Amino acid sequence: MTLRLEQLTLREIQLPLKEPFRISSGIQSIRRILLLELEDAEGVAVWSECVAPEEPNYTSEAIDTAWLAIKNWVAPRLLGRTFDEPAQVFPALELHFRGHLMAKAAVEMGMWALDATRLGVPLAARLGGVRTCIEVGISLGIQTTPAALVERAGRAALAGYRKIKIKIEPGSDVEYIRAVREALGPDAPLMADANNAYSLDDAARLQELDELGLMMIEQPLAWDDLARHAELQRRLKTPICLDESITSVDRVEDMLALGSGRIVNIKPGRVGGFAASIAIHDLCARNQIPVWCGGMLESGVGRAYNVALASLPNFVLPGDLSPGSRYWTEDVVTPEWVMSGEGQMSVPLQEPGIGVTVDRDRVARLTVREERLRRSR
Ligand code: OSB
Ligand code: MG
């Protein structure tokens, strides 16, 4: 069965976060989210989400650049073109078209969901998933005091989260993590994420974290660095996990060759979609590198894609896949994503496609701009 995109609708919605989320490179209070609706000629329709944030403080992309890239370059390459399978979409988007990976991913992933829906299979099954439920972690933003962090980490542990990730930056690091370690005990599954807040000059500071039994330290150095991470990894016992620096399969090969890290956070939006995510997953599996699925404060639409990906076999560590209620008073999908008291989330395997339904009325109320694209010829 072939695959052909007939119409693409872009909508920006604005969803207020329950609590502002602060990382070392910026803060978000209201999440501006780009939702896409893909339709084929037979009227099969699926929703997808572009994870680009408001500001280019994570990678170089932002919601406004992604909107432009989808409209000017991604959509014209795909609308009206026939593909034998969704794995052909990413190569078509990469030809003479540099970067804009989040923009590409939003549409590429939608094409996988469109294909799964047309075939009548769940998205997770279409990707090669093997799990019926996945383990969930939480990502805690930088707090103003160690006590405030301890309170939030304590609540997360009680709720059953299998991994507690703590955002750090110079001045809010060792003291903060130590307070949580002392409060939650030696077995609590803790990790830190610096979002590029350090340089090699801070190696001694980061070595202090070595004594706190962290599962890993995520992206301590520059967003596009591999060489300095390799130098730092030689000085740390704790595994380095790369996030921002892994933008393609080639970057994982470089990481392996250089020794820049021992764990990979896969965010499909960051690497250009599912074809690249699966290739990275497979390469890591062959090299005994554990992977987990990261998050970008997605709505319930984006969550569906991440959960499907996290059902692949080498996603052996809990992902940043919190339930909707961790972020929003009300999500845009039904059923909402929920987590069990044991920190697990079910992979929807009962129906074709992404497994949740978008609440159109709610999306309409939250929409601040909308644009419909069809083939121009
Ligand atoms: O580095 O993983 C990150 C959110 C925005 C930008 C970068 C990151 C994050 C998170 C959020 O950690 C994880 C989540 O979606 O819950
Ligand atoms: Mg990260």
Side-chain angles (χ1 to χ4, degrees):
M1 206 192 310
T2 58
L3 191 60
R4 209 170 83 150
L5 183 64
E6 200 65 24
Q7 176 172 295
L8 183 65
T9 307
L10 292 77
R11 292 184 183 86
E12 177 183 339
I13 62 165
Q14 300 192 348
L15 267 187
L17 284 157
K18 277 185 175 173
E19 184 175 280
F21 188 77
R22 191 159 87 79
I23 68 176
S24 63
S25 58
I27 184 163
Q28 291 194 63
S29 306
I30 295 174
R31 187 76 173 88
R32 289 177 58 198
I33 298 175
L34 169 49
L35 293 179
L36 302 179
E37 194 177 6
L38 296 82
E39 284 166 75
D40 71 7
E42 282 101 63
V44 181
V46 296
W47 290 79
S48 73
E49 176 167 343
C50 179
V51 299
E54 179 160 13
E55 300 282 332
N57 65 324
Y58 169 72
T59 62
S60 62
E61 286 184 271
I63 180 169
D64 296 319
T65 67
W67 189 295
L68 181 81
I70 291 170
K71 178 181 166 171
N72 283 13
W73 305 302
V74 177
R77 281 176 184 234
L78 302 189
L79 283 167
R81 175 158 166 194
T82 302
F83 293 95
D84 292 324
E85 47 167 319
Q88 295 171 341
V89 173
F90 187 56
L93 291 175
E94 282 293 272
L95 184 70
H96 307 154
F97 180 2
R98 317 291 186 230
H100 299 280
L101 292 168
M102 291 177 183
K104 291 171 180 173
V107 186
E108 195 258 11
M109 292 158 75
M111 294 290 276
W112 284 87
L114 189 62
D115 188 60
T117 307
R118 286 169 56 83
L119 293 170
V121 300
L123 179 60
R126 183 66 188 83
L127 299 180
V130 295
R131 298 171 201 282
T132 57
C133 68
I134 53 162
E135 301 207 326
V136 179
I138 190 170
S139 174
L140 298 175
I142 298 171
Q143 304 296 322
T144 46
T145 62
L149 177 64
V150 166
E151 191 269 326
R152 280 165 181 76
R155 268 197 277 148
L158 272 179
Y161 282 104
R162 297 292 183 100
K163 180 174 83 161
I164 299 175
K165 164 165 134 178
I166 299 165
K167 293 290 186 177
I168 58 169
E169 66 182 2
S172 310
D173 46 27
V174 179
E175 187 197 351
Y176 282 65
I177 304 272
R178 186 178 290 126
V180 175
R181 176 57 79 208
E182 280 167 6
L184 298 188
D187 296 329
L190 305 181
M191 64 167 289
D193 185 1
N195 293 103
N196 331 315
Y198 298 88
S199 76
L200 269 183
D201 296 340
D202 303 309
R205 185 87 186 146
L206 293 166
Q207 278 169 323
E208 289 181 54
L209 290 175
D210 253 349
E211 309 310 314
L212 295 172
L214 299 179
M215 301 166 76
M216 67 193 99
I217 300 173
E218 188 175 340
Q219 198 74 31
L221 308 180
W223 66 284
D224 55 352
D225 173 79
L226 290 168
R228 290 158 194 81
H229 277 102
E231 175 57 32
L232 181 63
Q233 182 67 90
R234 283 191 279 278
R235 299 196 219 168
L236 289 179
K237 285 182 287 179
T238 311
I240 288 177
C241 169
L242 293 179
D243 174 355
E244 285 90 327
S245 291
I246 301 298
T247 50
S248 66
V249 181
D250 289 0
R251 292 290 85 77
V252 180
E253 287 178 355
D254 296 348
M255 177 198 90
L256 291 166
L258 295 167
S260 318
R262 301 189 189 135
I263 299 175
V264 172
N265 166 337
I266 300 181
K267 293 179 184 171
R270 192 193 64 230
V271 302
F274 280 147
S277 296
I278 294 167
I280 290 171
H281 164 274
D282 294 352
L283 175 62
C284 287
R286 287 196 296 279
N287 288 278
Q288 290 85 47
I289 297 287
V291 307
W292 54 279
C293 185
M296 291 291 290
L297 311 175
E298 287 89 353
S299 79
V301 176
R303 175 62 75 253
Y305 287 82
N306 286 355
V307 167
L309 182 66
S311 73
L312 269 66
N314 192 37
F315 281 83
V316 290
L317 294 164
D320 285 344
L321 301 164
S322 299
S325 61
R326 182 260 183 277
Y327 312 97
W328 331 107
T329 39
E330 197 189 344
D331 206 336
V332 296
V333 300
T334 45
E336 288 210 12
W337 294 95
V338 292
M339 180 179 84
S340 76
E342 284 76 52
Q344 297 193 318
M345 191 174 271
S346 299
V347 179
L349 295 169
Q350 304 311 316
E351 50 180 299
I354 70 172
V356 286
T357 305
V358 171
D359 182 339
R360 286 187 161 274
D361 292 340
R362 180 155 163 74
V363 167
R365 282 195 301 277
L366 294 168
T367 297
V368 296
R369 61 171 162 162
E370 177 170 339
E371 193 163 347
R372 183 154 298 154
L373 307 173
R374 295 178 68 88
R375 189 150 59 134
S376 52
R377 282 165 291 123

